Amino acid sequence: MNTKEQSRTNTIISRLKEKYPLADCTLEYETEPYKLLIMARLSAQCTDARVNIVAKDLFEEFKSIENFANCDLEKLEKAIFSCGLYKTKARNIKDMCAMLVNEYNSQVPENMSDLLKLPGIGRKIANLIRGDVFGKPAIVTDTHCIRISNRLDLADSVNPQVVEKQLVEIIPPEESNDFCHRLVFFGRDICKSQNPKCGECFLRDICKFENVNNREK
């Protein structure tokens, strides 16, 4: 990346930070790492808002990793039904918690390779855990991250692993985790999948997507 491109990237980071100073995860998991792990699995093809609602009753009913590991599967399916894909998610959560109990002393591992061994856990969730729980540099390539990174010409792929690799090369490690959280807020607020609010966008002057659209009109 040349100096001009890096300067543009730094400007994007700076403006996002100014607009969204609190770069918190939108999954409300309190402090226990395993809860974020479970909620992240529930969030697949489901809104974080719905997961937050479901999680309140879920963690009242199942109060520990051991409870999830030893639970009745149908009971768990019923508890998470409204999150969608409930059969697959319930099996993943039960098996994941059993592995945490049996192989990791009921602790969520920090290592990427160990996280990826857990049922239902891919790089997106593993990076979320590494960033939010353990404070490691992490790029979480959710739908917002992929869409917006391409629109801003920070990436040129819809493959999550490719986008992750491209962003790792240009986003400073100490900014990476918060940068991805800010993209979620930005994606919900302005840079929507359908009908983005380009006219209101604080990045429109340096956005390739906006400039291309203007040229095509």
Side-chain angles (χ1 to χ4, degrees), residues 50-63:
R50 166 54 56 184
V51 173
N52 288 334
I53 292 171
V54 170
K56 290 180 181 179
D57 291 334
L58 180 67
F59 294 132
E60 281 295 318
E61 187 170 3
F62 304 93
K63 297 182 181 296

Side-chain angles (χ1 to χ4, degrees), residues 1-11 169-170 172:
M1 174 179 289
N2 61 40
T3 303
K4 184 177 180 180
E5 290 172 335
Q6 187 61 61
S7 176
R8 178 176 171 275
T9 299
N10 292 341
T11 298
E169 294 175 354
I170 61 175

Side-chain angles (χ1 to χ4, degrees), residues 58-92:
L58 180 67
F59 294 132
E60 281 295 318
E61 187 170 3
F62 304 93
K63 297 182 181 296
S64 68
I65 294 179
E66 290 78 11
N67 285 164
F68 281 102
N70 299 312
C71 74
D72 177 80
L73 190 59
E74 290 187 2
K75 187 176 181 181
L76 180 55
E77 289 175 353
K78 183 177 179 181
I80 66 170
F81 177 82
S82 65
C83 289
L85 303 175
Y86 65 97
K87 287 187 175 293
T88 300
K89 290 178 181 179
R91 171 54 66 186
N92 284 164

Side-chain angles (χ1 to χ4, degrees), residues 13 26 28-29 54 76 81 117 139 183 199 212:
I13 294 170
T26 51
E28 301 167 357
Y29 73 101
V54 170
L76 180 55
F81 177 82
K117 292 176 184 177
I139 296 291
L183 289 185
V212 167

Side-chain angles (χ1 to χ4, degrees), residues 128-179:
L128 177 66
I129 296 298
R130 282 172 55 80
D132 275 45
V133 173
F134 298 106
K136 301 293 184 181
I139 296 291
V140 180
T141 50
D142 60 11
T143 56
H144 294 291
C145 178
I146 294 171
R147 179 181 74 255
I148 296 168
S149 295
N150 275 270
R151 286 179 175 177
L152 291 172
D153 202 32
L154 301 177
D156 59 6
S157 174
V158 295
N159 182 298
Q161 286 189 246
V162 173
V163 173
E164 179 186 342
K165 182 178 180 180
Q166 292 176 333
L167 292 180
V168 163
E169 294 175 354
I170 61 175
I171 305 297
E174 67 275 12
E175 299 284 356
S176 59
N177 194 45
D178 287 349
F179 174 78

